[in-house]
């Protein structure tokens, strides 16, 4: 039996979930047997999950509480807390773990913080000996924490028209780069930031400024070394590359789908096929799945296909066994969508199973 952990929203965030859920697929019978098997561990709105690279440990972003918690496998379909939750930041919505399993990065949508935590030998979260959020703000602004007004003025790379309210920083995702640095998105300020982890803090290396109003959300590191970034507001996928000096910059931009409608469609997750030839994003609004073909050496994309997702508000999807597993936040369902064996394009909805306010699906060991 193949298993998956599910993240979702609970009553504290207007959802129906009561913790980390468990999905299963019957061995030898394929994704059509996908079903929700209940709660693996009680938790308050664990909206994003990430696994430790070597240990049977799962980390959950408790978005409503602004906390992160580690869970260890405790039986075939259950998890147990390794320790109490640790404070992160407002609206923590994404987690990433370093390939070596020694660091976790939490991205916080509500207050724009990007916070690093150490990880112990058993996978427990190590609370910072110093305030990592304060260290990050010092790296951004220098000296003491600025006022909110100064923070917006210092961080926003796009000049504000007279009389317009300052924009807010919204950190949304992190990716560990091959050289050990960390890339993070700021959806509110249209930035991809590149960080260095030094002595328990994150030091800002440089920033890639994207066009104003695009809203960079999630990212995929391509085997070619290119970084693909999906934008929530402009319905595009930007491709970034690093030069020989290690400075990242924009090399191409492609619409997620020729019929995507910015302001109505809001791309969510970005996932790659196993061979890296195809990228998939979901358009919340039209509730469709868009596929893009990776061209050249990974530096360019082109729209490939569009298909129904089979759910309402497709917030996350996972490539699995020739299909996409798609989390429908508003429909309380997870769909199984077939992928064309030859082209990788999404095709028909094969199966749908009920799940309480799902926002994430993670493969279990």
């Amino acid at each position: 039996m193949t298993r998956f952990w599910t993240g979702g929203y609970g009553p504290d965030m207007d959802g129906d979930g009561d913790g980390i859920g468990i999905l299963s697929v019957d061995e030898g019978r394929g994704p059509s047997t996908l079903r929700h098997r209940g709660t693996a561990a009680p938790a308050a709105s664990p909206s994003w999950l990430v696994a430790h690279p070597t240990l049977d440990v799962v980390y959950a972003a408790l978005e409503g509480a602004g906390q992160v918690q580690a869970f260890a496998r405790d039986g075939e379909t259950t998890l147990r807390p390794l320790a109490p939750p640790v404070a992160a930041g407002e609206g923590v919505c994404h987690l990433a773990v370093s390939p070596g399993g020694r660091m976790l990065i939490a991205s916080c949508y509500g207050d724009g913080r990007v916070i690093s935590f150490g990880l112990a030998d058993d996978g427990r979260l190590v609370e910072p000996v110093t305030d990592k959020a304060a260290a990050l703000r010092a790296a951004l602004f220098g000296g003491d924490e600025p006022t909110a007004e100064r923070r917006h003025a210092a961080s926003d790379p796009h000049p504000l028209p007279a009389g317009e309210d300052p924009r807010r920083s919204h950190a949304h995702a992190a990716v560990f780069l091959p050289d050990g640095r960390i890339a993070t998105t700021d959806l509110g300020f249209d930035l991809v930031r590149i960080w260095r982890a030094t002595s328990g803090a994150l030091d800002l290396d440089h920033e890639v400024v994207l066009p104003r109003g695009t809203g960079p959300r999630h990212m995929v590191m391509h085997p070619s070394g290119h970084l693909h970034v999906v934008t929530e507001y402009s319905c595009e996928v930007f491709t970034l590359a690093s030069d020989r000096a290690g400075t990242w910059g924009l090399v191409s931009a492609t619409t997620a789908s020729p019929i995507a409608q910015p302001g109505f469609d809001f791309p969510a997750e970005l996932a790659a096929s196993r061979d890296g030839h195809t990228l998939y994003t979901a358009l919340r609004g039209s509730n469709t799945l868009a596929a893009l073909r990776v061209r050249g050496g990974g530096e360019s994309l082109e729209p490939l296909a569009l298909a129904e997702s089979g759910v309402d508000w497709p917030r996350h999807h996972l490539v699995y066994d020739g299909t996409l597993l798609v989390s429908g936040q508003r429909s309380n369902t997870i769909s199984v969508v077939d992928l064309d064996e030859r082209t990788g394009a999404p095709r028909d909805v094969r199966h749908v199973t009920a799940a309480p306010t799902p926002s994430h699906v993670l493969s279990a060991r």
Side-chain angles (χ1 to χ4, degrees):
M1 185 166 58
T2 302
R3 299 172 181 83
F4 305 88
W5 309 119
T6 63
Y9 290 109
D12 66 329
M13 296 197 71
D14 300 322
D16 298 323
D18 57 4
I20 300 173
I22 180 78
L23 295 171
S24 69
V25 170
D26 293 344
E27 201 67 38
R29 297 181 60 195
S32 292
T33 63
L34 182 76
R35 64 189 178 98
H36 187 260
R37 294 168 57 88
T39 301
S45 292
S47 64
W48 186 270
L49 308 174
V50 68
H52 190 282
T54 58
L55 303 174
D56 209 349
V57 173
V58 173
Y59 303 94
L62 310 182
E63 188 170 340
Q67 299 173 324
V68 179
Q69 190 167 17
F71 296 84
R73 182 77 166 264
D74 186 31
E76 290 298 309
T77 60
T78 55
L79 296 165
R80 60 176 174 82
L82 273 179
V86 177
E90 181 184 341
V92 56
C93 63
H94 186 276
L95 305 174
V97 175
S98 63
R102 287 298 182 181
M103 178 183 291
L104 178 143
I105 302 296
S107 299
C108 304
Y109 181 88
D111 55 21
R113 294 182 181 183
V114 179
I115 305 171
S116 65
F117 296 91
L119 298 178
D121 290 343
D122 66 354
R124 293 172 189 263
L125 289 158
V126 178
E127 295 195 59
V129 294
T130 59
D131 182 353
K132 297 291 182 63
L136 179 148
R137 290 192 291 274
L140 279 174
F141 315 111
D144 297 331
E145 180 178 354
T147 63
E149 292 75 19
R150 182 181 161 208
R151 179 179 182 184
H152 290 308
S155 312
D156 192 343
H158 299 282
L160 293 170
E164 183 173 325
D165 291 336
R167 299 190 300 167
R168 293 190 62 189
S169 175
H170 294 302
H172 215 301
V175 167
F176 282 86
L177 302 174
D179 63 4
R181 291 181 296 175
I182 301 148
T184 65
T185 54
D186 191 320
L187 187 147
F189 288 150
D190 302 310
L191 292 172
V192 175
R193 291 189 172 103
I194 309 298
W195 303 92
R196 293 184 182 275
T198 57
S199 62
L202 294 175
D203 294 330
L204 183 64
D205 191 293
H206 63 280
E207 297 175 334
V208 181
V209 181
L210 301 182
R212 182 172 180 177
T214 50
R217 180 180 169 93
H218 282 190
M219 301 175 283
V220 164
M221 192 73 215
H222 192 264
S224 65
H226 292 85
L227 183 66
H228 300 296
V229 185
V230 68
T231 62
E232 182 167 339
Y233 297 149
S234 65
C235 299
E236 296 173 279
V237 180
F238 288 97
T239 299
L240 279 58
S242 174
D243 63 19
R244 292 183 178 180
T247 301
W248 286 81
L250 178 63
V251 296
S252 67
T254 309
T255 183
S257 167
I259 64 172
Q261 302 178 53
F264 175 75
D265 285 315
F266 300 93
E269 175 67 348
L270 187 65
S273 60
R274 290 193 176 186
D275 60 13
H277 294 163
T278 312
L279 299 182
Y280 304 99
T281 189
L283 305 178
R284 295 167 296 171
S286 60
N287 294 333
T288 53
L289 296 168
L292 300 100
R293 176 67 69 195
V294 180
R295 291 299 189 190
E299 72 277 2
S300 63
L301 307 172
E302 66 179 18
L304 171 65
L306 191 71
E308 294 295 326
S309 69
V311 301
D312 187 7
W313 212 248
R315 189 176 183 90
H316 181 262
H317 51 273
L318 176 72
V319 179
Y320 167 68
D321 192 20
T323 70
L324 289 176
L325 308 185
V326 188
S327 300
Q329 180 183 339
R330 294 180 178 174
S331 56
N332 288 329
T333 55
I334 296 175
S335 66
V336 178
V337 178
D338 284 320
L339 299 176
D340 187 278
E341 292 184 7
R342 182 176 61 86
T343 66
R347 300 180 62 184
D348 299 327
V349 178
R350 181 195 298 193
H351 175 69
V352 178
T353 188
T357 322
S359 60
H360 193 258
V361 177
L362 176 70
S363 294
R365 293 186 186 281

